[in-house]
Amino acid sequence: MSKDLINKILITLGFIFLYRVLAYVPVPGVNIDVVKEFFDSNANNALGLVNMFSGNAIERLSIISLGIMPYITASIIMELLAATFPGLGKMKKERDGMQKYMQIIRYATIVITLIQAVGVSMGLNSLTGKAGQSAISIDMDTFVAVSAISMLTGTMLLMWIGEQITQKGIGNGISLIIFAGIVSAIPSAIGGTIDLVNNGQMNFLTVLAILIIILATVGAIIYVELGERRVPVSYSRKVMMQSQNKRVMNYIPIKVNLSGVIPAIFASAILMFPATILQGSQNKMLLTLSDFLSPTSYTFNFLMFLFVVFFAFFYASITFNAKDISENLKKQGGFIPGIRPGEGTADFLNETASRLTFWGALYLGAISTVPWLLVKSMGVPFYFGGVAVLIVVQVAIDTMRKIEAQQYMNKYETLSAVGL
């Protein structure tokens, strides 16, 4: 590896380390023991799942408790608005407009973070420990103000760290932050599994079966994520003569999973929100509804499958713009053999993408639910979902691809420098 690539990897690791340090900085005025006690008793429901995605930052009520999710929520909202309003979509495509577009996302992130921070702070007022001690050690009004500012600062720091990793490091910064949060929970999960085996609550064969399920899930994700349909492209003789010293791509790659991991994250956020809110209710009917929406329930996973499939189709239709691809192809003098340029090409690409998305959506829905169903059938006393595995594997594949691309680019630069 070149020195430049090593520096980028070290910068990335440094910022990830900073992120993990921030996870241990608590909001002022909080009784951490009471909060941790509460999350320990809710480890197998929606709260436990949210805590896992934050890298256990929520159970410590860290300043980054809200994580990067407000930024992701704002980004998704803006993507939907850009697809709905042509003016906003045009702004996103322009260089100067893109800066304004990102600025709007940042402002929206601030608003979403403040709303969530105030809600969390007010909710802690009614939280007490087993011995009756309060979760808040200072005046309520002061705590809400201090907590909201602390959590806003934490989320803004995470957003800045994500942007720095993307610009100066290697890989997508926001994805790597989520990746680091999930991976940081692996050691405690392994320790918990060992304790269950030692206490006789789980036997070795069950642990072996879980490992096989994890490996099979990882293998399936890698196989599908690397899968793509390569639509052949031909260029006119004039274009080929002009591009003798350039690499001209002779195919259009269309991935099986066009929407990435966004559908799974979005579906999880929608389903976990009501379940998290209902956890604090004392009403029997609402508590029953909360049990139905628990991540360890069949209802939750059935809805999860449906939501993931829906969002996979919806998000793929936003991210894959067949009309733009066909127009760019026409400008470059390229065409798909046997397909009429222009509208004919756009229709063909849309049809191909729709067929691939159908299988990609089923794959995402299955990965998000089937691993849990298999583990549940074995009577395992903790939650295991495919969404976390999906995120970890996807981010790892994407980062490895960027490292390889950087290595190839360095090789070409070296060859050019020696005149080959």
Side-chain angles (χ1 to χ4, degrees):
M1 286 190 284
S2 67
K3 186 177 178 181
D4 182 53
L5 179 57
I6 292 172
N7 288 336
K8 286 186 175 184
I9 293 173
L10 290 175
I11 289 170
T12 302
L13 293 174
F15 277 116
I16 290 175
F17 176 74
L18 175 60
Y19 157 65
R20 292 308 304 156
V21 170
L22 291 173
Y24 289 87
V25 180
V27 171
V30 173
N31 189 331
I32 301 174
D33 293 333
V34 174
V35 178
K36 191 174 187 311
E37 183 183 291
F38 173 72
F39 274 94
D40 286 343
S41 62
N42 290 277
N44 293 325
N45 55 35
L47 291 172
L49 193 58
V50 174
N51 185 44
M52 180 195 70
F53 277 106
S54 72
N56 295 329
I58 296 180
E59 69 176 25
R60 305 183 192 102
L61 208 72
S62 157
I63 60 172
I64 60 167
S65 295
L66 298 179
I68 203 69
M69 288 308 293
Y71 177 79
I72 293 174
T73 303
S75 300
I76 291 172
I77 291 171
M78 286 298 292
E79 286 283 351
L80 297 176
L81 291 175
T84 307
F85 300 101
L88 197 59
K90 187 178 179 182
M91 178 196 293
K92 184 183 173 184
K93 294 177 183 178
E94 297 170 354
R95 186 175 180 181
D96 293 336
M98 189 61 184
Q99 294 180 351
K100 293 179 182 178
Y101 181 85
M102 293 304 298
Q103 199 66 27
I104 294 171
I105 290 178
R106 292 189 185 98
Y107 287 133
T109 302
I110 292 173
V111 174
I112 293 170
T113 303
L114 285 174
I115 292 171
Q116 292 184 348
V118 170
V120 170
S121 304
M122 295 179 70
L124 286 171
N125 188 41
S126 59
L127 184 63
T128 56
K130 291 180 180 178
Q133 68 272 38
S134 174
I136 301 172
S137 58
I138 59 175
D139 177 67
M140 179 61 187
D141 293 334
T142 305
F143 175 74
V144 171
V146 171
S147 176
I149 293 171
S150 299
M151 290 186 184
L152 176 61
T153 303
T155 298
M156 291 297 104
L157 277 171
L158 283 188
M159 190 168 68
W160 177 78
I161 287 172
E163 290 176 352
Q164 293 303 307
I165 291 174
T166 303
Q167 293 171 9
K168 300 177 181 178
I170 200 86
N172 183 291
I174 302 301
S175 298
L176 282 169
I177 287 174
I178 300 174
F179 171 88
I182 295 171
V183 169
S184 67
I186 292 176
S188 60
I190 293 172
T193 304
I194 293 171
D195 289 339
L196 290 172
V197 173
N198 292 335
N199 296 332
Q201 294 177 263
M202 187 186 299
N203 59 51
F204 180 74
L205 289 176
T206 304
V207 175
L208 186 62
I210 293 172
L211 286 174
I212 292 171
I213 291 171
I214 293 172
L215 291 174
T217 303
V218 171
I221 292 170
I222 293 172
Y223 180 77
V224 177
E225 291 302 322
L226 296 178
E228 61 185 20
R229 165 77 186 279
R230 296 183 174 184
V231 179
V233 175
S234 295
Y235 290 90
S236 63
R237 183 177 177 82
K238 181 181 177 182
V239 173
M240 293 302 294
M241 291 296 290
Q242 292 173 346
S243 306
Q244 281 183 357
N245 298 321
K246 297 179 183 178
R247 182 177 175 231
V248 180
M249 184 170 283
N250 57 357
Y251 63 86
I252 299 171
I254 304 177
K255 292 182 66 178
V256 176
N257 179 22
L258 282 168
S259 51
V261 77
I262 293 296
I265 294 175
F266 209 30
S268 297
I270 289 175
L271 286 172
M272 286 191 293
F273 180 75
T276 306
I277 298 298
L278 292 171
Q279 281 289 324
S281 175
Q282 300 299 322
N283 186 288
K284 289 185 177 180
M285 289 184 65
L286 292 179
L287 286 175
T288 303
L289 181 60
S290 175
D291 291 337
F292 274 113
L293 293 176
S294 169
T296 55
S297 70
Y298 290 102
T299 311
F300 177 93
N301 284 272
F302 175 71
L303 292 174
M304 182 74 173
F305 182 86
L306 294 180
F307 278 28
V308 167
V309 170
F310 170 76
F311 284 121
F313 274 101
F314 184 76
Y315 199 74
S317 66
I318 295 174
T319 55
F320 186 80
N321 194 323
K323 188 176 180 181
D324 284 353
I325 294 173
S326 65
E327 287 177 358
N328 291 333
L329 197 62
K330 192 174 181 180
K331 288 176 184 176
Q332 294 170 5
F335 61 93
I336 299 172
I339 305 296
R340 188 178 58 189
E343 277 189 35
T345 299
D347 291 340
F348 174 79
L349 291 175
N350 268 327
E351 185 181 354
T352 303
S354 296
R355 289 176 178 175
L356 289 173
T357 301
F358 172 77
W359 296 108
L362 291 180
Y363 144 77
L364 278 178
I367 288 294
S368 301
T369 54
V370 171
W372 174 83
L373 292 171
L374 294 174
V375 171
K376 178 79 171 178
S377 65
M378 294 186 292
V380 175
F382 58 80
Y383 177 80
F384 170 78
V387 176
V389 182
L390 178 66
I391 294 171
V392 168
V393 176
Q394 273 204 351
V395 174
I397 290 173
D398 182 60
T399 305
M400 288 303 297
R401 279 175 169 171
K402 287 180 179 175
I403 290 174
E404 287 176 359
Q406 185 72 36
Q407 286 178 316
Y408 281 122
M409 189 172 72
N410 291 334
K411 285 180 182 178
Y412 288 132
E413 286 176 355
T414 304
L415 290 172
S416 299
V418 297
L420 294 178

